[in-house]
Amino acid sequence: MNSLDLNNICSLSSVYTKVPYTPTSLMCYKHRVSCFNVSSYRNKCKVLPVAQSLHKTKVNSQVETNKKMVESIAKGLIGFAAAVSLCLDSPAMAESLTIAFPASRTHEVNAVQRTLVETWGLIRETFVDPTFNHQDWDSKLQQTMVEMLPLRTADAAYSKIRGMLSTLGDPFTRIVSPKEYQSFRIGSDGNVQGVGLFVNNEPKTGHLVVLSCVEGSPADRAGIHVGDELVEINGERLNGISGEAAAQKLRGHVGTSVTVKVHNGKKLAIDSSFREVRLPREFIKLSPISSAIIPHRTPDGHVSKTGYVKLFAFSQTAADDMKHAIYELENQGVESYILDLRNNPAIKAGLDVAQIWLDGDETLVNTIDRDGNMLPINMINGHALTHDPLVVLVNEGSASASEILAGALHDNGRAKLIGNRTFGKGKIQSVTELHDGSALFITVAKYLSPALHAIDQVGITPDVQCTTDMLNTPKESGLLRKKSAVSSSLEGDSCILVAEHELDNQESKGSAS
C-alpha cells in the first residue's frame, strides 16, 4: 500500500548532495511508492544508490521519468540537499523515493515541512488527474519547500501547502488543520455547537454556498436559505476558504455569536442581495432520520398511507436508523414511500442506504480512476426491505452521497426523481489523517451513475420538476405526524403533493398490469 515512512529517518550516508552541506540541519524522509504484493508473489525491492541508478543505460521509461525528477529537485535545491533512491523489480516496476531537504530552524515550521512531503507524495500517487492540472508536480515540491524555508509560523507554512494544492484546480482536494479535522468528524456523532449551517465549495466557482440549514437553528430563524453564498465571517473574506475551515469559524461555545455576510444569488437587485446577520451559537442536534405517515385519498377513493422518510445527513448510523424507520412504517401499513434527500450535503453511506431499497446484484455506481479505467460497484445478493412504490425528492442541496443514492435508485428503475437539479459533486475522495493530526482530502476518482450519466459539475436532472413553494391551503386529508422533528409544513409542500400524484400513477399502472 502506498505510504510515507515519516518515522524512519534515512541515514545521511544515503543522501546525494550537489554541494557540501552541514548534516545536522538536514532532514530526510523516505516515500515508499509501489512495493506491494501481487497475488502470492511478494515484490522484493532492491534500493540502488542514486549515482548508480542515474547512470544505467537501459532502463524503463518510468525510471527515466524518476531520473528527471531527481535532477530537477537537485538542481532546484542547490546549496540545500536532495536525494532519491529507486526500487526496481519484476513483475511490476516499483520505486522508493527518498526526499532530503534543509530543516527549518523554526520547530513548528519544521513539522509542517514533514507534512508538505507527506502531502506531495500522496497527491503524486493518487490524485485523479495524472497531469496534475498540466503541471510538473515534482517541481511544485521544490518550489513550495523553498518558499516555506524562511517562514516562522505553522499557519504561514500551512498556507504554502494550501497554495500548492490550489494549483491542482480541484477545490475538493485540500488539507485541513487538526482542529478543522476534529470538527469535520463531529458530524458523525450528531452533536455540534454552532449556528446550524452546512456549507461547501461550489464545484465550478469554488464559492462557499449553503447546502443545508438545520430546521429551527439560528441560521434558519435568520432566514438564511439553501443556495445563499457565504461571503464573510466576522468581517473576514472567505475567498479560497474550504468548507471545513468555514465550519470551524462558525462553530464555537454556546452563548457566543458570529456575524456572517450572505449573498442571495436568486435576487436580481445586486445592492439588496447582500446582508449581514448576527447569529447566536447554540447546541445543534443533528438527527439523521425523521419519518411520518401521510394519509391521502387516491383517485379511486381509496385512503392509503404513504411513508415519508427525511434523510438529513449520512451519519454513521444513517443506514441502521433508516432500516428501523422502514420497519416501523411497514408495521403501520404504509403502501408507498417518499424518500426526501433535499438539502442533504452527504459525504458517505449512500451505498449502504441504497441497498435497503434494491434487490439482487444491481450496479450502484461506476467509478473512473486516474487512468480512465471504469469499475462498477455492485450489490451482492441484495434483499430490499420493501418493494412498495417509491419516489425520491432532490434539489440543488442534494450532493455527493445523496446523488449516488438518487442515481442508483433511479437508474435501476426503483424510483422516480422529483424536484430540481442536484448539486453536481461526482468525485470520490480519500481522507488520510497525516502525522500531525491534520487531514488530506484527495479526489482519487470520479463516478458515473449506473446508466453512465456524468454527475460531476452537472448534477442529476429529476424526472419531474417542482418547487418547494408553500400552498395557501393545506391538504384536506391532513398529516399524521410520527415525530415532532417533521414539520407540519409538509402539508403544503408542493413537491410532496407532486410526489403523491406520481405514486398514485405508479399504483394505478400496477393495478392495470
Side-chain angles (χ1 to χ4, degrees), residues 73-96:
I73 294 179
K75 290 176 182 178
L77 294 176
I78 288 179
F80 301 157
V84 176
S85 61
L86 300 180
C87 169
L88 310 175
D89 205 351
S90 177
M93 291 297 297
E95 60 180 303
S96 178

Side-chain angles (χ1 to χ4, degrees), residues 29-49:
Y29 298 104
K30 181 175 290 184
H31 172 40
R32 295 196 307 272
V33 180
S34 302
C35 298
F36 53 89
N37 293 326
V38 180
S39 301
S40 60
Y41 179 86
R42 185 170 183 81
N43 197 9
K44 298 180 180 179
C45 299
K46 180 180 180 181
V47 178
L48 303 177

Side-chain angles (χ1 to χ4, degrees), residues 103-391:
S104 169
R105 296 183 180 181
T106 303
H107 177 73
E108 57 184 292
V109 174
N110 177 245
V112 182
Q113 284 183 299
R114 297 177 61 184
T115 304
L116 168 63
V117 177
E118 195 173 6
T119 298
W120 169 83
L122 290 169
I123 293 291
R124 184 175 184 269
E125 291 305 306
T126 64
F127 185 59
V128 65
D129 177 8
T131 73
F132 308 103
N133 199 23
H134 306 286
Q135 65 179 326
D136 185 341
W137 188 241
D138 300 328
S139 295
K140 268 298 176 187
L141 173 64
Q142 163 195 316
Q143 174 188 338
T144 308
M145 188 66 74
V146 170
E147 293 175 351
M148 188 178 290
L149 190 61
L151 301 180
R152 292 292 176 262
T153 67
D155 287 343
Y158 267 113
S159 71
K160 294 300 181 183
I161 299 180
R162 293 189 178 99
M164 181 181 75
L165 295 176
S166 69
T167 66
L168 294 170
D170 175 26
F172 300 109
T173 294
R174 62 211 185 275
I175 190 170
V176 299
S177 70
K179 184 180 291 186
E180 292 168 354
Y181 185 47
Q182 183 64 28
S183 297
F184 170 80
R185 295 191 294 185
I186 286 177
S188 295
D189 64 26
N191 293 288
V192 179
Q193 297 180 46
V195 298
L197 279 178
F198 287 95
V199 297
N200 207 341
N201 299 93
E202 202 279 328
K204 293 182 180 179
T205 66
H207 294 171
L208 283 170
V209 296
V210 176
L211 290 185
S212 180
C213 194
V214 177
E215 185 176 354
S217 67
D220 180 47
R221 298 196 302 268
I224 296 176
H225 303 291
V226 172
D228 286 354
E229 179 186 346
L230 203 59
V231 179
E232 292 181 1
I233 297 178
N234 285 335
E236 179 185 349
R237 296 285 297 181
L238 299 178
N239 296 337
I241 298 294
S242 68
E244 286 80 25
Q248 176 66 27
K249 296 177 184 296
L250 291 171
R251 294 189 180 115
H253 295 295
V254 171
T256 61
S257 62
V258 59
T259 300
V260 300
K261 177 182 282 189
V262 295
H263 171 239
N264 186 339
K266 296 181 180 179
K267 293 184 178 180
L268 297 178
I270 298 178
D271 293 339
S272 63
S273 62
F274 289 90
R275 64 189 181 101
E276 282 193 350
V277 183
R278 187 178 180 86
L279 302 173
R281 294 186 176 103
E282 301 175 358
F283 283 109
I284 308 295
K285 178 64 178 176
L286 303 177
S287 178
I289 298 286
S290 288
S291 60
I293 294 178
I294 304 176
H296 71 283
R297 190 175 300 278
T298 62
D300 62 3
H302 172 66
V303 176
S304 66
K305 294 180 179 179
T306 295
Y308 172 84
V309 181
K310 170 67 176 177
L311 189 55
F312 291 99
F314 286 88
S315 69
Q316 292 179 348
T317 64
D320 289 337
D321 290 345
M322 179 169 286
K323 289 179 182 178
H324 181 72
I326 292 175
Y327 281 134
E328 285 191 2
L329 293 170
E330 287 286 302
N331 289 336
Q332 297 185 57
V334 302
E335 301 172 53
S336 58
Y337 285 90
I338 298 173
L339 176 59
D340 194 345
L341 301 180
R342 291 175 297 180
N343 305 326
N344 187 334
I347 57 171
K348 56 186 177 180
L351 300 182
D352 294 334
V353 175
Q355 296 183 72
I356 295 175
W357 302 93
L358 292 169
D359 283 319
D361 303 319
E362 303 287 3
T363 296
L364 300 177
V365 70
N366 295 288
T367 66
I368 307 291
D369 67 14
R370 64 188 284 167
D371 298 317
N373 301 315
M374 185 170 72
L375 175 68
I377 298 178
N378 299 332
M379 294 196 309
I380 300 177
N381 194 27
H383 296 282
L385 297 186
T386 177
H387 297 91
D388 291 334
L390 171 69
V391 296

